[in-house]
Amino acid sequence: MMNIRHFLYACMACLCSAVLASCEHRILTDPTDVHYVRVYLDEEIKNVNCGFYNESYEHPDFFRPANMRAALADAQTGEIIYEGLLRNQGNDEKGNYLDGYLSAPAGDYHILMYQLGSPVTLIRHHDSYFDMAAYTHPVNDRAMTYLPQIGNAIDREKIMGEPEHILASRCESIHISHSSGVDTLRTSSGEYFTAHTIAKSYYLQLKIIGVEWVRAAGAVLSGMAGSSMLCKENGMVEDDPVHLFFSMTYADKKKRAGEEASIATLYTTFTTFGKIPDISSELTLNFEFTKNDGTTQTATFDITEAFKTPLAVEKQWILLDEVVTITKPENTGGMNPGIEGWKDENADLPM
């Protein structure tokens, strides 16, 4: 009987050793170490919900984030160790905010709070404070049907869709002390956090003659950043140049006296992670117009200097003096949708 008992003890000891060997070491979190986090949303975004060039023109959409991820990273390695979801919405005299709670023991951390992304603006490297970045996908094949000539002239895989505005806030070297209750995480100046957009929206316009002969218009702008690091206030990645695709619409169509063709304002608001400085001697804007007979016409401008004007720097308005003249197509009748059809088509173009 004693032999059997010793045998069972030996088996149990072996089993415990195997279990302990297979266990992953994890930091134990004191349930009392709970921290309140509040992030105000800076929703004053030029050319999106303020600072419009023309209030009667179409405006981009802006959607307030429903939640944000709050992540604590090791201050040395940048590895995300603890995280929580800020999804309680509120507002006061300072504006709209999201808040929630994080559980983490005492220590030194970097904290990053950001919108979880969208179908257009994606986030990569979620587990690293220093590597986390927002980016967009190349435009789809349907969008490229509006750029048959331009798409063959430049690297197709580097033609990206516009990003949406993602709000983010970050603060480095936060020291968290042990707390027996719920404390509040704040900036070094003792304030709540504030999330700002990581992108910019520019209003762009030029004049077009012969607008009635065009049914679609797209543009590609070179020298734009393809991604943005979330851990930086201005996180534009300078070694990730892309071509930014966007569509155009028109306004203020007028028939000029004695002229067959009308003149109109061609405009858009495009969003970018940033203009890469000194990437080349030219910042090239390529337009391609699809005419009613199915043929296309292109126009190319160097707008490097336009980005340096006071209007572009202060208001993010790019008002080009150039005029594009569309040559009249041979076939302007039949089942062509006309310019009104072009306007509707642009509104539904997936980015």
Side-chain angles (χ1 to χ4, degrees):
M1 188 68 179
M2 291 297 294
N3 290 336
I4 295 177
R5 183 179 300 173
H6 290 160
F7 175 75
L8 291 176
Y9 286 159
C11 290
M12 291 178 66
C14 292
L15 180 61
C16 290
S17 299
V19 170
L20 290 174
S22 64
C23 286
E24 179 184 354
H25 174 70
R26 294 181 180 274
I27 300 174
L28 296 178
T29 302
D30 190 330
T32 61
D33 284 325
V34 178
H35 317 285
Y36 174 75
V37 181
R38 178 182 293 189
V39 182
Y40 283 94
L41 308 177
D42 180 4
E43 300 174 304
E44 293 293 306
I45 303 174
K46 291 181 180 179
N47 301 308
V48 175
N49 46 25
C50 67
F52 295 111
Y53 174 75
N54 190 320
E55 288 288 349
S56 66
Y57 288 1
E58 293 181 8
H59 296 166
D61 294 324
F62 172 76
F63 301 100
R64 182 176 301 148
N67 51 63
M68 298 181 74
R69 182 194 187 204
L72 286 175
D74 182 278
Q76 299 300 319
T77 66
E79 178 187 0
I80 302 299
I81 305 176
Y82 305 100
E83 62 180 281
L85 192 63
L86 310 180
R87 54 187 175 185
N88 302 319
Q89 302 182 30
N91 61 80
D92 57 21
E93 67 280 357
K94 292 182 61 177
N96 296 302
Y97 64 82
L98 293 169
D99 64 10
Y101 298 90
L102 275 172
S103 294
D108 295 316
Y109 302 96
H110 299 329
I111 186 170
L112 178 62
M113 294 141 289
Y114 65 95
Q115 199 171 334
L116 288 173
S118 72
V120 176
T121 303
L122 309 174
I123 307 295
R124 61 187 171 214
H125 304 309
H126 284 271
D127 58 347
S128 173
Y129 176 87
F130 296 116
D131 297 326
M132 209 178 306
Y135 68 102
T136 61
H137 280 311
V139 297
N140 57 32
D141 292 336
R142 182 183 173 189
M144 291 308 299
T145 61
Y146 296 89
L147 303 168
Q149 294 189 53
I150 294 175
N152 292 327
I154 59 180
D155 186 353
R156 168 72 174 80
E157 294 301 316
K158 282 293 187 176
I159 303 178
M160 301 293 177
E162 299 176 71
E164 291 179 340
H165 287 278
I166 294 294
L167 304 185
S169 178
R170 78 286 298 159
C171 189
E172 296 192 355
S173 302
I174 287 184
H175 177 74
I176 296 180
S177 301
H178 173 73
S179 172
S180 59
V182 178
D183 65 355
T184 299
L185 300 187
R186 298 179 184 270
T187 66
S188 57
S189 59
E191 302 291 331
Y192 288 120
F193 304 100
T194 301
H196 308 277
T197 179
I198 63 172
K200 285 185 176 181
S201 288
Y202 287 85
Y203 172 81
L204 169 71
Q205 77 168 34
L206 76 163
K207 299 295 183 181
I208 177 174
I209 297 175
V211 65
E212 58 264 63
W213 299 325
V214 178
R215 70 183 184 195
V220 169
L221 180 59
S222 66
M224 297 290 105
S227 55
S228 179
M229 307 301 295
L230 297 188
C231 66
K232 299 178 181 179
E233 189 71 30
N234 180 13
M236 174 183 62
V237 180
E238 296 189 11
D239 60 355
D240 183 22
V242 300
H243 307 287
L244 185 67
F245 167 81
F246 48 87
S247 58
M248 307 286 291
T249 189
Y250 82 97
D252 305 328
K253 177 182 175 182
K254 297 178 182 178
K255 198 79 168 183
R256 302 189 304 173
E259 296 285 343
E260 180 183 10
S262 300
I263 186 169
T265 299
L266 194 68
Y267 75 95
T268 191
T269 299
F270 68 88
T271 302
T272 173
F273 290 126
K275 180 185 75 67
I276 299 178
D278 304 325
I279 186 173
S280 66
S281 59
E282 292 186 351
L283 190 63
T284 306
L285 180 62
N286 300 281
F287 292 99
E288 187 156 349
F289 306 93
T290 303
K291 295 188 278 190
N292 291 340
D293 63 350
T295 61
T296 63
Q297 179 177 330
T298 61
T300 300
F301 303 108
D302 174 10
I303 64 168
T304 306
E305 296 304 316
F307 261 100
K308 300 177 183 178
T309 64
L311 281 179
V313 174
E314 297 170 11
K315 296 181 179 293
Q316 293 161 215
W317 296 347
I318 301 175
L319 311 179
L320 301 181
D321 296 327
E322 287 83 359
V323 179
V324 176
T325 300
I326 304 298
T327 57
K328 185 177 180 180
E330 294 182 3
N331 177 18
T332 59
M335 298 179 65
N336 296 312
I339 193 65
E340 295 303 325
W342 162 41
K343 188 173 183 181
D344 292 338
E345 194 170 355
N346 272 344
D348 295 334
L349 183 66
M351 298 297 293

